[in-house]
């Protein structure tokens, strides 16, 4: 009787040991599976880099060239297409730099010497203040001087036709332009030019 009880107790203990082992093994397997799954889901997935949108543009300002096909010079305007975010000063700086760089095609002309540089441009509530290098005043007769002055003045006032323009050469206000002695009024306006000069 005791042997039977002892055998039953041994069997129960053996079975309990197996169940405990299974539970322990199951816990380990479960932990491993969860840990592996968590690590795999934590891995960041590569994201596509955002596509940059092109900046919005609009037509602002003009560059004025010369048409020399006839017996006299004639101003020809070329609109600028620029980013909307540019300030008025940046628009005028761009227009002026394009003007001094010269026309790209043969259909337009300029009498501004190619070596002329824009030293500074300031736009304030009084108008446009330009400072150019001395090359602007060199070479050409009266027609050439009037042509370049018109190009400069009209380009500088392309955002406001009634704007006033102050012109300096190497930091000094310009009073006389060229050997022909074109008298310059400071500030200049389109109306002043049209009343005193003829292309």
């Amino acid at each position: 009787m005791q042997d039977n009880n002892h055998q039953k107790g041994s069997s129960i203990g053996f079975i309990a040991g197996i169940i405990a082992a299974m539970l322990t093994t199951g816990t380990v397997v479960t932990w491993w599976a969860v840990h592996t799954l968590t690590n795999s889901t934590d891995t960041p997935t590569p994201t596509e880099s955002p596509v940059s949108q092109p900046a919005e543009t609009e037509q602002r300002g003009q560059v004025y060239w010369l048409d020399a096909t006839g017996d006299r010079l004639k101003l020809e305007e070329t609109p600028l297409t620029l980013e909307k975010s540019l300030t008025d000063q940046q628009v005028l700086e761009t227009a002026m730099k394009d003007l001094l760089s010269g026309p790209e095609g043969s259909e337009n002309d300029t009498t501004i010497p190619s070596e002329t540089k824009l030293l500074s441009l300031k736009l304030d509530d009084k108008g446009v203040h330009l400072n150019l290098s001395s090359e602007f005043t060199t070479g050409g007769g009266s027609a050439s001087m009037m042509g370049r002055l018109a190009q400069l003045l009209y380009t500088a006032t392309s955002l406001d036709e009634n704007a006033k323009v102050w012109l300096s050469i190497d930091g000094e206000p310009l009073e006389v332009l060229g050997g022909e002695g074109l008298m310059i009024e400071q500030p200049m306006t389109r109306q002043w030019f049209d009343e005193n000069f003829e292309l």
Side-chain angles (χ1 to χ4, degrees):
M1 217 29 211
Q2 289 180 353
D3 288 342
N4 288 340
N5 289 336
H6 178 73
Q7 287 178 354
K8 287 181 180 179
S10 298
S11 299
I12 293 172
F14 178 73
I15 293 171
I18 291 175
I19 292 173
M22 289 176 62
L23 289 174
T24 303
T25 305
T27 303
V28 172
V29 170
T30 302
W31 174 87
W32 176 83
V34 171
H35 182 71
T36 302
L37 183 61
T38 303
N39 283 346
S40 65
T41 55
D42 286 346
T43 303
T45 56
T47 57
E48 295 182 4
S49 56
V51 178
S52 58
Q53 297 294 327
E56 289 189 62
T57 60
E58 63 180 353
Q59 284 194 351
R60 292 176 65 193
Q62 291 90 30
V63 176
Y64 283 81
W65 306 108
L66 293 172
D67 180 358
T69 54
D71 57 353
R72 54 186 292 181
L73 297 175
K74 180 182 176 183
L75 283 173
E76 294 285 346
E77 68 179 54
T78 300
L80 291 174
T81 301
L82 303 171
E83 293 182 14
K84 282 187 175 182
S85 60
L86 294 183
T87 64
D88 286 351
Q89 176 159 323
Q90 289 172 322
V91 170
L92 291 182
E93 286 174 349
T94 301
M96 201 59 58
K97 288 176 181 177
D98 282 2
L99 176 65
L100 298 182
S101 296
E104 295 182 357
S106 58
E107 65 276 6
N108 293 318
D109 201 357
T110 182
T111 60
I112 299 175
S114 59
E115 300 83 7
T116 304
K117 296 178 179 61
L118 176 64
L119 302 180
S120 66
L121 184 152
K122 179 183 177 184
L123 178 64
D124 58 25
D125 56 354
K126 294 182 180 179
V128 184
H129 305 263
L130 293 172
N131 185 20
L132 303 180
S133 63
S134 59
E135 287 83 0
F136 182 77
T137 64
T138 62
S142 59
S144 173
M145 294 298 171
M146 284 188 287
R148 73 185 65 176
L149 190 62
Q151 286 183 260
L152 185 77
L153 178 58
Y154 273 70
T155 299
T157 56
S158 60
L159 293 180
D160 179 4
E161 296 182 358
N162 298 314
K164 298 177 180 179
V165 177
W166 283 261
L167 176 59
S168 295
I169 302 298
D170 288 336
E172 296 296 325
L174 182 64
E175 297 178 353
V176 180
L177 178 60
E180 302 292 331
L182 272 65
M183 301 301 296
I184 304 300
E185 180 179 304
Q186 302 277 5
M188 301 180 294
T189 62
R190 289 189 180 189
Q191 181 180 351
W192 163 81
F193 182 88
D194 293 339
E195 289 175 355
N196 290 275
F197 303 105
E198 184 179 359
L199 292 179

